[in-house]
Amino acid sequence: MARLFYLHWNKDEVLERVEPLRAVGHVVSCHSSTDVPPKITAPPDVFIVSLARLPSHGRAFAQWTRERKDMREVPLVFVDGTEEKVQAAREKFPGAVFCTSATLPVTVRKLVVKGG
């Protein structure tokens, strides 16, 4: 399965949100602190950024990944968020994938199968 990095700004919530991904065999690292950028030792197969809390921090993290040569090609998935926050992220990151928590496992599977 894939190595995933999930960014969400609430520790209890992020642990709940990664369970469906871990249940299907993915290895998921998560970060819930507002300390950006988090420590990432090797690029994952997919970055997942929650827009449900502190979406401006999520967009800042996403920008950081796009500026890093070793991470800019890693697929970027934004999950959840209000329509306004999703639209702002779509405008800034047109190559990103957008989904809900409910569809995230399927979205990740499709990205991993097609290789990004």
Side-chain angles (χ1 to χ4, degrees):
M1 286 278 136
R3 292 174 298 109
L4 312 176
F5 187 89
Y6 198 119
L7 186 80
H8 181 72
W9 309 108
N10 180 288
K11 184 178 180 180
D12 295 330
E13 288 178 11
V14 76
L15 294 175
E16 289 174 16
R17 290 168 182 254
V18 301
E19 274 310 307
L21 298 167
R22 288 179 173 160
V24 295
H26 297 298
V27 175
V28 186
S29 298
C30 50
H31 185 79
S32 60
S33 169
T34 55
D35 296 334
V36 175
K39 291 185 180 186
I40 300 173
T41 56
D45 297 314
V46 178
F47 282 114
I48 302 165
V49 178
S50 173
L51 294 175
R53 291 184 179 265
L54 301 177
S56 63
H57 284 64
R59 289 190 305 272
F61 171 77
Q63 184 63 41
W64 177 78
T65 68
R66 299 302 102 179
E67 292 170 355
R68 296 270 316 252
K69 186 177 181 179
D70 61 337
M71 295 185 195
R72 71 175 58 130
E73 299 302 321
V74 174
L76 179 61
V77 176
F78 286 99
V79 62
D80 298 331
T82 65
E83 187 175 325
E84 175 186 328
K85 304 307 180 188
V86 169
Q87 186 57 37
R90 280 186 195 278
E91 290 172 7
K92 190 166 184 175
F93 303 98
V97 174
F98 293 82
C99 68
T100 64
S101 289
T103 61
L104 183 59
V106 172
T107 300
V108 168
R109 182 174 43 86
K110 289 178 182 177
L111 284 171
V112 171
V113 167
K114 78 175 192 178

